[in-house]
Amino acid sequence: MRRTVFNEDHEAFRETLRAFIEAEVVPVYDEWFAAGQAPREFYYKLAELGLFGINVPEEFGGAGLESHKFEAIQYEETARAGVSFGGSGVHVLLALPYVKMLATDEQKKRYLPNFVSGEEMWAIAMTEPGTGSDLAGMKSTARLSEDGTHYVLNGAKTFITGGVHADRVIVCARTAAPTAEDRRHGISLFAVDTKSEGYSVGRKLDKLGLKTSDTAELAFVDVKVPVEDLLGEENKGFSYLGHNLASERWGIAFGAYAQAKAAVRFAKQYVQDRTVFGKTVASFQNTKFELAACQAEVDAAEAVADRATEALDAGELTPAEAASAKLFCTEVAHRVIDRCLQLHGGYGYMNEYPIARLYADNRVNRIYGGTSEIMKSIIAKDMGL
């Protein structure tokens, strides 16, 4: 089936990105994998390529586009090559929407030029030890000083992707106690400078997958945050967090579909090259049937992912539709990647093969951004159940 989601400009971008990945990432990716993170210097190369400024207004050094299709191509091309761009994904997909939505003109002038250039890498810190998906249960606090010039931030965060290299982090903290009627009340967002006294990066977490993304624990001890770095209005942070969940879940859905597509590519290449019992693995009927079934699932996931992309760009992707896309694409990817690994036999369990890394990387898709169970609850509620 012919895809209609991308035009000639998108495909030209794809060619440029594919060449960049082959030249700048593939030769050194094993080193990143062993180190557990991409080097900070690599992010300047991404900035030079223009990846950080695609959706940033021109007045701040960006391209001024309002589309997620270039991000979609990044998902497809990194998956195709069996690599990632480290923890830089949160910089654009997660952090930027909050800056664009909440920052004042003065804040945008301070934040966005360095955002585009890679001088300041951003992350977002929501999850806390012991709270998981229950963001309303967060304990971190930000108290306004007596002279009203700054907030005093205290608390801890965990599972923060991009947390090691981040220069500025959007931190969610309580500026007021929850009420009996609304336990979500009292959360605010702050753009915290990671060089601030009392701010510290704890353990770089050892994850099952996504080995090249720096994921860390963060701690705040009496960190002074200037009032000028409050994002949006005080105590309205929870509603802001909900506003951007649709785009976040779209990203996970599209990324999962791209991984499934890459898995079929890896498996097809392997079974055509691998010989057993005097003939290629691809010549066996079971191999053909398995890959055919996987391809059919990828085709369906592609259609769902593309439809969600068009809806997101049009500003029409609802929370329930985003949840449906995430649930479907991540579950498809889970099944497809597992079956493609099986076709590799014992080699599929070796990290030197991209299918093994893909298997580990994919697992978190059904957890972060809201678990599959949460997605089902959202969809069921939308159905009136």
Side-chain angles (χ1 to χ4, degrees):
M1 293 178 285
R2 187 175 68 88
R3 297 178 80 184
T4 59
V5 68
F6 299 123
N7 60 29
E8 292 182 359
D9 290 339
H10 297 125
E11 294 306 330
F13 172 76
R14 184 190 300 279
E15 291 182 13
T16 299
L17 185 62
R18 185 174 296 182
F20 172 84
I21 291 171
E22 289 298 323
E24 300 290 345
V25 183
V26 172
V28 294
Y29 195 70
D30 286 346
E31 297 174 19
W32 297 2
F33 189 85
Q37 62 187 36
R40 175 65 175 82
E41 295 74 23
F42 172 68
Y43 297 156
Y44 291 112
K45 294 182 179 181
L46 294 179
E48 290 173 7
L49 195 62
L51 299 191
F52 295 159
I54 292 173
N55 293 326
V56 173
E58 293 183 45
E59 62 187 294
F60 304 116
L65 302 179
E66 289 292 338
S67 174
H68 288 78
K69 293 181 180 180
F70 295 95
E71 294 169 37
I73 291 172
Q74 291 177 57
Y75 283 123
E76 289 187 331
E77 291 304 309
T78 51
R80 178 185 181 276
V83 301
S84 80
F85 287 162
S88 65
V90 298
H91 183 65
V92 173
L93 182 62
L94 299 188
L96 182 58
Y98 289 101
V99 177
K100 292 175 65 176
M101 177 176 69
L102 302 175
T104 64
D105 289 340
E106 183 276 331
Q107 288 175 321
K108 289 177 181 177
K109 290 176 183 177
R110 282 196 291 124
Y111 299 151
L112 288 177
N114 286 338
F115 183 102
V116 172
S117 70
E119 292 295 323
E120 280 194 349
M121 294 300 298
W122 286 59
I124 184 165
M126 299 186 228
T127 305
E128 295 185 358
T131 62
S133 298
D134 182 19
L135 295 180
M138 70 176 61
K139 306 296 183 184
S140 295
T141 60
R143 305 300 184 195
L144 188 63
S145 63
E146 291 185 4
D147 61 7
T149 62
H150 62 273
Y151 291 85
V152 180
L153 174 65
N154 284 281
K157 300 290 181 178
T158 192
F159 306 147
I160 309 307
T161 300
V164 175
H165 287 319
D167 302 289
R168 196 173 285 271
V169 177
I170 299 174
V171 177
C172 312
R174 284 206 164 276
T175 44
T179 65
E181 296 78 22
D182 185 6
R183 60 192 295 266
R184 298 172 297 182
H185 170 76
I187 295 172
S188 300
L189 307 184
F190 300 90
V192 179
D193 185 341
T194 63
K195 296 185 295 295
S196 302
E197 184 177 355
Y199 180 104
S200 63
V201 178
R203 292 187 303 148
K204 182 167 73 70
L205 301 175
D206 184 16
K207 307 182 299 296
L208 170 68
L210 301 178
K211 291 290 189 179
T212 61
S213 69
D214 51 310
T215 303
E217 296 173 331
L218 306 179
F220 323 110
V221 180
D222 294 335
V223 177
K224 292 183 178 179
V225 183
V227 293
E228 293 83 6
D229 287 330
L230 171 70
L231 282 176
E233 295 184 41
E234 200 177 77
N235 300 327
K236 293 188 176 181
F238 198 93
S239 63
Y240 299 147
L241 296 176
H243 183 83
N244 286 323
L245 278 175
S247 63
E248 179 182 349
R249 288 166 179 164
W250 163 82
I252 298 170
F254 204 99
Y257 139 70
Q259 290 176 324
K261 182 176 182 179
V264 172
R265 177 175 178 267
F266 296 144
K268 179 182 175 183
Q269 182 177 18
Y270 179 82
V271 298
Q272 288 176 327
D273 294 339
R274 175 71 168 161
T275 300
V276 294
F277 305 116
K279 54 184 179 179
T280 65
V281 175
S283 65
F284 291 92
Q285 185 181 65
N286 178 69
T287 303
K288 296 175 182 179
F289 281 8
E290 283 293 287
L291 282 177
C294 287
Q295 183 62 54
E297 289 216 76
V298 168
D299 286 343
E302 181 179 87
V304 170
D306 285 354
R307 185 181 69 174
T309 303
E310 296 284 21
L312 182 63
D313 272 10
E316 298 172 354
L317 185 65
T318 68
E321 289 170 343
S324 178
K326 180 182 184 297
L327 177 66
F328 183 78
C329 290
T330 57
E331 294 292 339
V332 164
H334 163 65
R335 293 191 297 270
V336 167
I337 294 170
D338 183 75
R339 294 167 83 172
C340 288
L341 186 151
Q342 188 73 15
L343 288 173
H344 282 71
Y347 289 105
Y349 205 65
M350 300 295 109
N351 274 328
E352 64 185 278
Y353 283 80
I355 192 68
R357 299 179 183 184
L358 198 58
Y359 183 87
D361 290 350
N362 170 74
R363 186 58 185 88
V364 77
N365 288 332
R366 291 182 290 147
I367 298 173
Y368 67 2
T371 63
S372 290
E373 291 73 26
I374 295 293
M375 297 305 100
K376 292 174 183 177
S377 295
I378 293 170
I379 297 165
K381 184 177 180 180
D382 186 68
M383 296 171 64
L385 299 174

